[in-house]
């Protein structure tokens, strides 16, 4: 948090919402009568305080009043405000009518606003797109509308999360499937937010949707991500450099799956999709008092797989899918090969 040239405080919104230490001292020194709503208006709104008072468009989007919304958009003055970020009456977060409608789950209003020219990728002060907030609030119909209209399935790089990551974390396989269908990135698309600017550097496991689904034991999402080409060895894009790891950190996703007490189905899926078993040097163990216990059946699946060579058919499937590439896996069903081969490559048999 710092004081800008205009004398106003600048910095992430969460510092203002929950001020501590120096931030609290700075905030308490604001001119008399200053409050959070006024500060947000000064910092993030597209117009001055007087102009932002007219929030009829935003309010209609909030309550899902599509008739009022349609009537307002017939007027030029409201049409000009369709992408305006306003501090609306139902809350303090400056955002557009489309973002508000997507948050509330009003798919018909989302469609109408887009038809009238609402910007699909306009972010709020937290870097959240309408698609992200629709995903976050579990509104499948809004997600489908936004994706069909061309919304970026990966959300905004300025957000510390992504639609895929959130859907995988909370187990919304239906939303995740839609995101994947429209080409969402299924590996670690949070690396930039965590301060890793290049995909050639070590990537933290916690930034990975596969990790999120495993940590929350959402098996259906875990399977969907792997089928879509997620890297079963996600932790680096080059050979694992153990020197980069924090002490006691897992070397690979397989180790984390075992340590988190995931069931044998998670381990078997990683094996089936080509996880490198040699990355795990020793079996994870926990103290008796630990909340997380290694699933004995999952550990047994790992032991058996490590002792036996992979079948030739399994190696061929993994190799073919890697040659096809993650971005083209959805085209497997159109290959000029027998249906049995297609089902095999898609892990449907």
């Amino acid at each position: 948090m710092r004081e800008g040239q205009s004398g106003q405080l600048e910095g992430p919104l969460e510092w203002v919402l929950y001020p501590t230490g120096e931030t609290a001292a700075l905030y308490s020194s604001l001119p008399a009568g200053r409050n959070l709503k006024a500060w947000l208006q000064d910092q993030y709104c597209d117009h001055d305080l007087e102009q932002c008072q007219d929030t009829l468009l935003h309010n209609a989007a909030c309550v899902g009043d599509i008739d009022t919304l349609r009537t307002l958009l017939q007027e030029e003055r409201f049409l000009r405000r369709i992408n305006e970020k306003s501090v609306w009456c139902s809350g303090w977060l400056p955002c557009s009518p489309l973002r508000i409608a997507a948050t509330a789950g009003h798919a018909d209003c989302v469609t109408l606003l887009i038809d009238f020219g609402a910007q699909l990728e306009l972010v709020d002060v937290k870097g959240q797109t309408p698609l992200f907030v629709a995903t976050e609030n579990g509104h499948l119909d809004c997600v489908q509308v936004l994706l069909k209209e061309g919304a970026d399935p990966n959300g905004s790089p300025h957000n510390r999360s992504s639609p895929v990551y959130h859907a995988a974390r909370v187990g919304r396989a239906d939303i995740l499937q839609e995101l994947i269908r429209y080409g969402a990135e299924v590996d670690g698309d949070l690396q930039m937010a965590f301060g890793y600017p290049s995909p050639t550097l070590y990537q933290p496991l916690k930034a990975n949707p596969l990790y999120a689904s495993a940590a929350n034991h959402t098996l259906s999402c875990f399977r969907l991500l792997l089928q879509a080409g997620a890297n079963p060895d996600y932790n680096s894009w080059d050979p694992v450099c153990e020197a980069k790891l924090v002490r006691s950190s897992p070397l690979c996703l397989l180790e984390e799956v075992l340590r988190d007490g995931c069931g044998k189905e998670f381990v078997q899926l990683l094996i089936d999709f080509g996880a490198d078993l040699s990355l795990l040097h020793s079996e994870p163990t926990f103290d008796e008092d630990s909340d997380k216990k290694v699933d004995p059946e999952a550990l047994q699946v790992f032991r058996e797989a490590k002792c036996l060579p992979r079948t030739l058919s399994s190696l061929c499937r993994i190799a073919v899918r890697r040659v096809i590439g993650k971005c083209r896996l959805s085209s497997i069903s159109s290959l000029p090969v027998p249906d049995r081969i297609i089902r095999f490559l898609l892990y449907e048999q």
Side-chain angles (χ1 to χ4, degrees):
M1 177 68 69
R2 62 186 182 278
E3 187 171 357
Q5 295 179 353
S6 64
Q8 298 173 342
L9 297 181
E10 300 175 352
L13 178 60
E14 56 265 30
W15 296 356
V16 185
L17 294 176
Y18 309 104
T20 58
E22 182 183 359
T23 303
L26 287 170
Y27 190 72
S28 64
S29 67
L30 291 172
R34 190 75 173 276
N35 57 39
L36 178 57
K37 183 175 181 180
W39 188 91
L40 287 170
Q41 286 171 322
D42 288 345
Q43 290 291 316
Y44 295 105
C45 284
D46 297 328
H47 302 287
D48 58 30
L49 184 60
E50 289 73 19
Q51 289 177 297
C52 283
Q53 293 304 314
D54 192 351
T55 59
L56 291 176
L57 195 66
H58 297 71
N59 293 341
C62 178
V63 299
D65 188 347
I66 191 167
D67 293 331
T68 298
L69 204 59
R70 185 181 290 107
T71 300
L72 292 174
L73 290 172
Q74 303 302 320
E75 299 184 34
E76 183 63 29
R77 66 188 181 101
F78 286 108
L79 188 60
R80 287 197 303 267
R81 293 182 174 183
I82 196 169
N83 293 311
E84 180 182 282
K85 297 178 184 177
S86 172
V87 177
W88 42 293
C89 69
S90 298
W92 287 354
L93 186 63
C95 50
S96 68
L98 180 60
R99 192 271 196 199
I100 295 171
T103 302
H106 304 309
D108 53 350
C109 293
V110 168
T111 301
L112 181 67
L113 287 164
I114 295 172
D115 289 342
F116 274 89
Q119 295 180 21
L120 289 169
E121 306 303 331
L122 193 64
V123 298
D124 59 25
V125 297
K126 296 168 69 177
Q128 298 173 336
T129 63
L131 177 63
F132 179 84
V133 295
T135 299
E136 185 179 40
N137 289 279
H139 301 312
L140 175 62
D141 50 354
C142 289
V143 168
Q144 290 171 330
V145 169
L146 289 163
L147 288 171
K148 183 179 178 181
E149 294 294 336
D152 187 340
N154 296 312
S156 169
H158 302 294
N159 188 10
R160 295 183 71 87
S161 187
S162 72
V164 163
Y165 187 91
H166 184 82
R169 184 176 67 83
V170 300
R172 285 303 300 266
D174 52 350
I175 291 179
L176 180 59
Q177 193 163 28
E178 289 297 309
L179 294 168
I180 291 172
R181 189 161 71 92
Y182 281 88
E185 170 58 51
V186 293
D187 275 318
D189 46 0
L190 304 181
Q191 61 261 29
M192 296 296 290
F194 280 96
Y196 295 87
S198 170
T200 61
L201 299 178
Y202 170 76
Q203 309 295 317
L205 277 175
K206 290 185 178 180
N208 179 245
L210 263 181
Y211 167 87
S213 60
N216 291 279
H217 294 220
T218 56
L219 182 63
S220 57
C221 291
F222 195 77
R223 181 184 293 107
L224 276 173
L225 290 166
L226 286 170
Q227 289 173 333
N231 182 5
D233 292 324
Y234 183 91
N235 54 0
S236 68
W237 295 96
D238 51 15
V240 175
C241 179
E242 296 181 30
K244 299 174 185 176
L245 295 170
V246 178
R247 175 176 288 185
S248 78
S249 295
L251 287 174
C252 58
L253 188 62
L254 176 60
E255 181 177 0
E256 185 63 28
V257 163
L258 288 170
R259 287 172 54 164
D260 270 342
C262 294
K264 62 181 181 180
E265 298 87 357
F266 287 87
V267 176
Q268 189 61 60
L269 280 170
L270 286 177
I271 294 169
D272 291 343
F273 281 87
D276 185 352
L277 304 185
S278 66
L279 290 177
L280 185 55
H281 300 325
S282 59
E283 297 177 0
T285 57
F286 283 95
D287 297 334
E288 289 297 324
D289 296 331
S290 175
D291 292 335
K292 296 180 179 180
K293 307 291 184 184
V294 178
D295 187 299
E297 292 185 351
L299 188 59
Q300 184 60 31
V301 169
F302 164 71
R303 288 171 176 168
E304 293 176 358
K306 195 167 184 180
C307 292
L308 298 173
R310 296 181 189 269
T311 63
L312 181 58
S313 61
S314 175
L315 290 172
C316 287
R317 175 163 56 188
I318 293 168
V320 171
R321 285 174 59 91
R322 287 178 179 173
V323 168
I324 291 174
K326 180 169 58 177
C327 296
R328 296 184 295 177
L329 287 177
S330 59
S331 301
I332 286 179
S333 58
S334 62
L335 290 175
V337 296
D339 289 343
R340 182 180 178 185
I341 300 298
I342 290 176
R343 291 195 302 271
F344 177 72
L345 292 174
L346 293 174
Y347 285 86
E348 294 178 355
Q349 66 176 38

